[in-house]
Amino acid sequence: MSFRFTHAIVRPPSSNFADGLTSVALGAPDFALALEEHARYCEALERCGLELVRLPEDPAHPDATFVEDTAILSPRCNVLARPGAPSRAGEVTAIRAALAAFAALAITPDAIEPPGTLDGGDICEADEHFLIGVSQRTNWDGAAQLAAFLTRAGYSSSCIDIRAIPGILHLKSGIASLGDERIVVIDSLIDHPALKNHELVRVTPGEEYAANCVRVNDHVLMAAGFPGMQHTLEQLGYGLIVLDMSEFQKMDGGLSCLSLRF
Ligand code: CIR
């Protein structure tokens, strides 16, 4: 049931969105277009049946629209992250408050503590097993803290060190779980032993950005402009919602980063 969601936290980009972190050289994002793409993304989540918790924009944190990095939410384990980029550390406060409003859903999160760092974008829930990326943002200490919380909740986990994999910021820049033991994966991670028990769906070479797709209830959200990947997912029978992500891609963000689903 890991893809049965009822809610999602979202937060629009702020007008200084272009001041956020990025490692890609795709130019500055167009703010008006980013707002438009974010609005379409929110509509897509609502079409999937989710009720949205809309946080206000946060100009103090230009990357705050990427709410996924601030927490790990799952049916039996909720953890506040500790973002590895210092400019993003303050984003967690608002998420903690937003989750507190959901006491009825029993969301009383644990938290990653120093010296651990961990970004939600490095955590991939794959059918009761969690894949934890060790990256430039998530360190081994943060990964170990999360693994302990997951074990206590009855989940298993394994780590994937992505620090030597070129072109991906987070683990979920390169893999996505579709449920049913099926994982979308880019070629540079396809032979990783942590993935050997899953059916792997290969991302069309050259379409790596499309790896960051999101299963939400009966749909899969994917980025527009990746015909090979779209064909692959259609052949597998998924109901696709294809979304323009150009302005978020310029800031190293993918579809999953724009919401915290629970
Ligand atoms: C950052 O570098 O932190 C943001 N500009 C992008 C974060 C994307 N988040 C994600 O992939 N989960």
Side-chain angles (χ1 to χ4, degrees):
M1 291 294 284
S2 49
F3 295 100
R4 287 283 139 198
F5 300 113
T6 56
H7 293 80
I9 297 172
V10 292
R11 156 169 259 172
S14 51
S15 56
N16 59 350
F17 174 55
D19 295 338
L21 304 169
T22 188
S23 65
V24 294
L26 294 173
D30 177 311
F31 177 56
L33 189 51
L35 281 180
E36 178 65 25
E37 291 180 355
H38 193 267
R40 297 287 87 75
Y41 179 85
C42 291
E43 284 171 12
L45 292 179
E46 288 178 325
R47 191 174 146 199
C48 295
L50 303 195
E51 184 180 321
L52 299 187
V53 179
R54 295 174 185 268
L55 301 184
E57 62 171 54
D58 177 8
H61 300 99
D63 281 310
T65 189
F66 301 116
V67 286
E68 177 186 61
D69 292 319
T70 58
I72 294 86
L73 303 181
S74 68
R76 300 195 303 272
C77 186
N78 298 293
V79 179
L80 290 171
R82 190 165 176 271
S87 65
R88 302 199 59 190
E91 294 177 24
V92 176
T93 306
I95 302 299
R96 181 189 284 109
L99 293 178
F102 280 89
L105 294 178
I107 297 184
T108 46
D110 293 299
I112 302 296
E113 304 288 351
T117 62
L118 183 134
D119 279 16
D122 279 316
I123 315 306
C124 180
E125 181 180 357
D127 308 289
E128 305 255 315
H129 182 80
F130 282 72
L131 300 161
I132 304 174
V134 173
S135 68
Q136 299 304 326
R137 302 287 178 86
T138 297
N139 64 18
W140 284 105
D141 192 279
Q145 289 183 43
L146 178 64
F149 290 133
L150 292 168
T151 301
R152 196 182 67 193
Y155 294 114
S156 56
S157 65
S158 44
C159 288
I160 299 182
D161 186 347
I162 64 161
R163 288 172 298 176
I165 308 286
I168 58 171
L169 173 66
H170 289 121
L171 177 62
K172 279 192 291 193
S173 316
I175 69 170
S177 172
L178 294 173
D180 311 318
E181 307 288 337
R182 191 179 266 163
I183 290 183
V184 170
V185 60
I186 58 173
D187 276 0
S188 47
L189 287 168
I190 211 159
D191 293 322
H192 198 285
L195 304 177
K196 69 177 189 314
N197 293 327
H198 289 82
E199 176 190 336
L200 300 183
V201 178
R202 182 184 183 214
V203 175
T204 308
E207 297 192 3
E208 284 74 13
Y209 180 75
N212 185 261
C213 52
V214 189
R215 173 89 185 264
V216 184
N217 299 344
D218 297 327
H219 291 90
V220 173
L221 276 52
M222 74 164 288
F226 301 97
M229 195 58 200
Q230 186 168 339
H231 179 73
T232 299
L233 292 174
E234 280 168 354
Q235 291 297 110
L236 289 169
Y238 292 108
L240 295 183
I241 300 179
V242 181
L243 293 165
D244 283 320
M245 285 293 293
S246 60
E247 306 317 292
F248 297 101
Q249 184 176 10
K250 290 173 182 172
M251 299 307 292
D252 254 342
L255 282 164
S256 71
C257 344
L258 291 179
S259 61
L260 259 174
R261 303 157 297 278
F262 61 99

